[in-house]
Amino acid sequence: MKTINYQWLDAAGAQQELAALCNVLDGCVAQGASIGFVKRDAQQMNHFWQDVVLSLACGDKQLLVARCEERIVGTVMLVLAMPANGVHRAEVVKLLVHPDARRSGIARALMQQAEARAGQLGRSLLVLDTRSGDVAEPLYRSLGWQTAGQIPGYARSTAGVMDATTVMYKAIGPAD
């Protein structure tokens, strides 16, 4: 069994790993993941990660990566930039596991570590959205996430279909 290591990357670390981050994102898009991209476009993916680097630098996001034999195979981010009335919450985004590394518990471990980090940062409520019926939905439920509702026709898939999204939340601590 291969060892998986987890690491929180800062802006400089993410900048150094741009190619690896783009590779994970590209692998997920190639498999039809509903993660904001409708086609495999290296320039758009690089631009996305460059924006993440800027958000990491100013503290608006935190990025956790999973490594298998030093290669990044998974990611998850916490969006911390919230309005004044929402500083108690964070959004979980871009839970990605490269297709070559799936079915080994990486997504679960990434989520558990992201939840723990959010709690350490004083966040008591987490939110996310996922394509309705996606393989990630049962994972989130198994981790104690609740469904707030569903929005039809929310996002276009890589196949060009308008998919619904399920909005979920998890209370991880006492509300202040």
Side-chain angles (χ1 to χ4, degrees), residues 30-107:
Q31 295 290 311
S34 180
I35 50 176
F37 293 82
V38 294
K39 63 181 180 174
R40 297 172 72 189
D41 182 318
Q43 185 176 359
Q44 282 183 347
M45 290 180 190
N46 189 61
H47 185 263
F48 167 79
W49 285 113
Q50 289 286 0
D51 284 348
V52 169
V53 168
L54 294 174
S55 294
L56 294 171
C58 69
D60 287 348
K61 292 182 181 170
Q62 294 207 350
L63 171 63
L64 177 63
V65 298
R67 294 180 187 272
C68 179
E69 298 177 351
E70 299 305 311
R71 179 178 150 243
I72 293 178
V73 295
T75 70
V76 70
M77 282 189 283
L78 290 173
V79 178
L80 303 172
M82 295 292 155
N85 69 347
V87 296
H88 64 287
R89 69 178 184 259
E91 183 177 5
V92 176
V93 299
K94 296 300 182 272
L95 175 63
L96 309 172
V97 178
H98 192 279
D100 295 343
R102 291 186 180 157
R103 310 302 309 164
S104 57
I106 294 170

Side-chain angles (χ1 to χ4, degrees), residues 134-146:
D134 198 75
V135 296
E137 211 171 336
L139 167 68
Y140 299 137
R141 282 199 181 93
S142 76
L143 290 168
W145 287 73
Q146 304 293 312

